[in-house]
Amino acid sequence: MSVHLVSALDGGDFYSETVRLGDLNGDGAPDLLFTQSLYGPREISCLTAATIHGQVLWQVGQPSPDNGHIYSDLPVQLYDWDGDGVNEVLYVRQATYAEPEVRGAQRIRERAFRYEGRATMVVLDGLTGRQKAAIPLPAPADDSFLFADLTGRGRREDLVVKDRYWNMWGVSHAGEVLWHWAGSPGHYPAIADVDGDGRDEVFVGYALIDHDGRVLFQHDWGDNHQDACYIARLPDGEWRLLFGNGGVHCLALDGEELWHYPLHEAQHVVVGRYRADSPLQVAVIDRGYPRTPEGKSADLYLYDLATGREIWQRRQPQGGWISAALPIRWSGGDLQEIMVYERGAGNPVAIYDGAGEIVDELAVPPEVCGSYNGNPGIHLCSHADVWGDSREEVVLAGWRGLRIYANARPLAIPTLYNNTGYHGM
């Protein structure tokens, strides 16, 4: 194992399991945006911008360590929204839940029987945190959103916004609602210009929706929702639409199912080039107990995208039922690796190569996650090229702190290892 600890942040009242990365202070290096929310209502309560070494740049809202836990994905992103070369922070401020539908002792609130007012997309200056703009949204549209080019602007400057499980809207850059789709959007859509007309289509697992809201195909979702979806293109130009629910499914653009593996709960489906013997592969996490029979652990699978052939399976440690996977450029070469995190209390983050071997493990210090209501806290991971060396670092976040890890192995950079005053190579 060869891992370098880049940054260790502990003990602040503004830390959270939800962290976004991007340059906020204009120095060209990634910064951190810690996002706190009310657990049941999912309402964003505090945003804190900081450098990777913990220097606070600005803060909006009131921080509280009790609000660092994630219930769901949160509607917050970093992006150069106005095209001025500087990132903004965008987040959704909820409408008033006048008659909320509330479940359980934790007062889970995912929708309302009646709303008052509208939701609002708030745009903050990335450098100062001051509000720059406010865009009205349909009242229920407060779960997650992504940027898309729905209007042919040549850049992803429009929005696709959804509520938890029932609706999705296309919204123009100016705030005009372009279309509404009612169905089962699942947790998060995927977008790509699959028909080559210069505007993005939206894939939600059971349906493919054109830029103008026209449904290109739609399957019966029953009582299900998709847990993950992905759009990929093979070298021959053919598109593949992948999603996970009770299993992993691979569809053609017309909705025909090309291959399918029944699993217990395929929670993450990520395409990458993890090995050289085929163009693209699909990494899938199948969640373990208690979502599966008692004693069943989570499993990591790798499939060939073009054929659906299972390449290998790797059992995860017991207790990792919310394990997740991400592609990562850990080595910086032509091939990616697979990062698996939240593998159960006390278990490290694991980075697998395309052969299914663990090449590095990253510690999850207990002070980062702490405990909550007597249970171990969770951690979430993301990745970014912090050093600018073509390799990606791991950003591990919990409600009590954060760690950034780098691959410490020497990276061969051709312009340096044959260094000379007479440059001809």
Side-chain angles (χ1 to χ4, degrees):
M1 305 298 176
S2 185
V3 176
H4 171 65
L5 179 62
V6 176
S7 181
L9 309 181
D10 291 313
D13 59 359
F14 59 83
Y15 294 126
S16 65
E17 295 159 2
T18 299
V19 177
R20 306 292 194 229
L21 291 100
D23 183 13
L24 292 171
N25 61 8
D27 66 357
D31 299 304
L32 306 168
L33 183 73
F34 296 92
T35 304
Q36 293 188 335
S37 63
L38 306 183
Y39 183 85
R42 304 172 294 113
E43 182 179 348
I44 292 175
S45 57
C46 184
L47 297 169
T48 303
T51 69
I52 64 170
H53 299 295
Q55 176 191 358
V56 174
L57 303 173
W58 51 262
Q59 189 172 78
V60 172
Q62 184 64 41
S64 168
D66 291 334
N67 294 335
H69 303 283
I70 185 172
Y71 168 74
S72 66
D73 189 26
L74 294 176
V76 58
Q77 303 286 358
L78 275 62
Y79 189 59
D80 182 7
W81 173 247
D82 54 16
D84 64 352
V86 181
N87 280 330
E88 282 76 44
V89 173
L90 291 90
Y91 77 98
V92 176
R93 181 187 298 143
Q94 292 183 347
T96 299
Y97 281 56
E99 296 179 20
E101 181 183 89
V102 178
R103 295 185 287 105
Q106 292 179 307
R107 307 287 294 172
I108 301 302
R109 189 187 72 182
E110 295 186 327
R111 60 178 172 177
F113 300 109
R114 182 174 64 86
Y115 297 89
E116 291 180 355
R118 306 185 73 176
T120 305
M121 180 69 71
V122 181
V123 183
L124 304 180
D125 183 276
L127 181 61
T128 65
R130 290 194 294 267
Q131 182 171 318
K132 296 179 70 172
I135 302 167
L137 297 173
D142 61 18
D143 183 67
S144 61
F145 68 92
L146 69 165
F147 304 105
D149 187 355
L150 303 176
T151 55
R153 296 170 64 93
R155 184 173 177 267
R156 286 176 171 166
E157 296 181 351
D158 304 312
L159 298 165
V160 175
V161 195
K162 60 181 282 293
D163 63 8
R164 281 295 284 162
Y165 296 126
W166 307 278
N167 298 276
M168 187 167 62
W169 295 264
V171 181
S172 76
H173 188 84
E176 176 191 1
V177 176
L178 303 171
W179 48 262
H180 165 241
W181 178 80
S184 179
H187 288 299
Y188 202 77
I191 61 166
D193 179 14
V194 298
D195 59 10
D197 66 352
R199 292 166 292 189
D200 288 319
E201 283 67 52
V202 185
F203 176 53
V204 296
Y206 300 94
L208 181 64
I209 300 161
D210 209 348
H211 66 273
D212 57 3
R214 181 169 58 95
V215 177
L216 300 174
F217 74 76
Q218 182 165 297
H219 294 302
D220 180 14
W221 53 82
D223 295 326
N224 299 313
H225 68 256
Q226 59 89 357
D227 285 314
C229 63
Y230 207 102
I231 301 177
R233 195 175 195 180
L234 290 163
D236 64 5
E238 290 293 318
W239 291 92
R240 294 292 181 263
L241 311 176
L242 297 113
F243 72 97
N245 57 3
V248 55
H249 307 258
C250 179
L251 310 180
L253 279 185
D254 61 2
E256 177 191 2
E257 186 169 86
L258 302 176
W259 55 265
H260 164 231
Y261 279 92
L263 302 172
H264 291 286
E265 186 180 5
Q267 184 72 12
H268 283 73
V269 177
V270 289
V271 175
R273 190 164 189 259
Y274 308 112
R275 40 193 298 141
D277 56 359
S278 66
L280 290 170
Q281 300 86 39
V282 186
V284 178
I285 280 285
D286 186 18
R287 296 174 82 175
Y289 179 78
R291 296 297 182 97
T292 59
E294 187 168 0
K296 174 75 169 60
S297 64
D299 289 288
L300 173 66
Y301 292 87
L302 191 69
Y303 301 99
D304 180 66
L305 174 59
T307 65
R309 175 179 61 90
E310 181 182 317
I311 300 172
W312 47 255
Q313 172 189 357
R314 295 293 182 266
R315 179 66 46 90
Q316 299 303 300
Q318 287 292 115
W321 72 274
I322 55 173
S323 294
L326 282 175
I328 183 171
R329 293 197 176 276
W330 181 247
S331 63
D334 294 333
L335 301 179
Q336 297 166 277
E337 289 83 19
I338 305 164
M339 175 170 62
V340 184
Y341 60 96
E342 194 45 74
R343 302 165 72 229
N347 293 312
V349 175
I351 296 178
Y352 289 84
D353 63 17
E357 302 298 325
I358 294 177
V359 295
D360 276 312
E361 291 185 322
L362 316 177
V364 183
E367 57 265 31
V368 168
C369 301
S371 61
Y372 189 69
N373 290 335
N375 299 312
I378 70 168
H379 63 273
L380 299 180
C381 285
S382 54
H383 52 84
D385 183 1
V386 173
W387 294 137
D389 65 353
S390 81
R391 295 190 293 200
E392 292 179 320
E393 284 68 56
V394 175
V395 180
L396 186 158
W399 73 293
R400 301 301 298 131
L402 177 139
R403 295 290 185 272
I404 300 179
Y405 293 102
N407 186 345
R409 296 174 184 83
L411 178 64
I413 302 175
T415 55
L416 298 183
Y417 66 69
N418 280 335
N419 207 337
T420 175
Y422 298 88
H423 301 288
M425 295 172 39

